[in-house]
Amino acid sequence: MAHLTTSRGAALYIGALLGPGLLLLPGLAAAEAGPASILAWLALLILSGLFAAVFTALGRHNPSAGGVIGYVTAGLGRRAGLATGWMFLAGVVAGAPIVCLIGASYVTELTGGGQAARAAVAAALLLTVVGLAARGLRASAAAQLVLVSLLATVVIVAVAGSATAARAANWTPFAPHGWLSLGSAAATLMFSFVGWEAVAPLTTRFADPGRQLPRVVAIALGVTTVLYLGLAIATIGVLGPRAATDVPLAGLLGHAIGAAGPDVAAVAAIVLTLGATNAYINGAAAMAGQLAPAAPGRGRRGGTPASRLLAAITATGLLLITAYELRIVSTAALVAVPTALFLAVYLGAMIAAARVLHGPVRLAALPAALAVAVMLGFCGWALAIPVTVTLAVTSRARSAKRAVPVQRGGMCSATCRTS
């Protein structure tokens, strides 16, 4: 395998960090904390720097671990590693319909239609993505970089073009919902900061990691900081009271390029939804293959790990989209589920890092773990999801341990099971 250049590596890192969530979350954060949500963005960008340092060190310390499962296993044991893997998969399953709803929101903003129309478009996007994944169509690294470039270009045009419409009055009152609302906003925004764990294994593909990695991380942090902060500031400064929307980018593009703004936003949202969701599903399918030996119902009759994952995404996604259509759950409530799951994954990784790493990077893992734990406290009812996954995995691991064959006098006891 060819070595990664610094520029190519930086592009891959940026590609892992940016996604369709950026089209929705500035509006959700503004709805939760008002203009003060910019402080949540700043805090998470600092935290993102800690994540970058810790996951890079974990990738170099345990390069063949197979990602976040291996990192947590190395620091906290096999059960914790399995629980982390299943929580990550559950986060992808719960997150796929949200990404499709993001794309659908921009479509219905252009074409018109209420919540039912948005749900119908989201269901169509979900079934399209699952169909592509079932046919084995994987998004290549080059294609993902094109998608990220598209998103970056659209954001830059929206922010720069709408700057003249910004008003200082839109920043007051600064914290209309109180300062505690910053915690809720930060927990919501965490959905946009998942990605460092996905690119950590790339550390082994650099010819000179010691020299290249600091540059790659610095470039990735710099680019994401500019895009995130630029969009967050523009959303509040330009849209003001209308910032609390599911389609903030459409509003900004309307100021930037006029009537064509919603059209551009809708096209970008559809392309990003299909590309990013396809990439995440394929990545999750690979992880499902690693977890398959520990999965119940394995065997030919149960289908492959990938097929079971696609079935779970389809069933869960359509269920959640239907609940959204019936107004049983809101967009914010849907985002809360994968956010809690990914926060739990990051908490396990940071605690594991504090146990296996040494030096300054270990010190970075400690405040990162504390920050993640604090954000988890703002997840409320959604905390029940990672707790349930952890209990289920732990229970099954105990059952499997009790079912281990016992040798008596050279013969296998009645508890023996064939694989």
Side-chain angles (χ1 to χ4, degrees), residues 17 43-53 193 196 217 221 224 228:
L17 292 169
L44 281 175
L45 286 167
I46 295 172
L47 182 60
S48 184
L50 297 179
F51 288 154
F193 286 85
W196 290 113
V217 171
L221 277 175
T224 54
Y228 281 147

Side-chain angles (χ1 to χ4, degrees), residues 347 350 365-375:
L347 180 61
M350 294 302 104
L366 295 174
L370 178 60
V372 171
V374 170
M375 283 189 287

Side-chain angles (χ1 to χ4, degrees), residues 249-269:
L249 192 62
L252 293 177
L253 284 171
H255 285 282
I257 59 178
D263 301 65
V264 173
V267 172

Side-chain angles (χ1 to χ4, degrees), residues 330-395:
S330 64
T331 305
L334 289 175
V335 171
V337 174
T339 296
L341 288 162
F342 288 132
L343 279 170
V345 169
Y346 269 58
L347 180 61
M350 294 302 104
I351 295 175
R355 297 192 64 180
V356 302
L357 300 178
H358 303 281
V361 181
R362 182 180 186 181
L363 296 178
L366 295 174
L370 178 60
V372 171
V374 170
M375 283 189 287
L376 271 170
F378 284 92
C379 289
W381 62 269
L383 276 174
I385 308 299
V387 170
T388 300
V389 173
T390 301
L391 291 176
V393 172
T394 301
S395 176

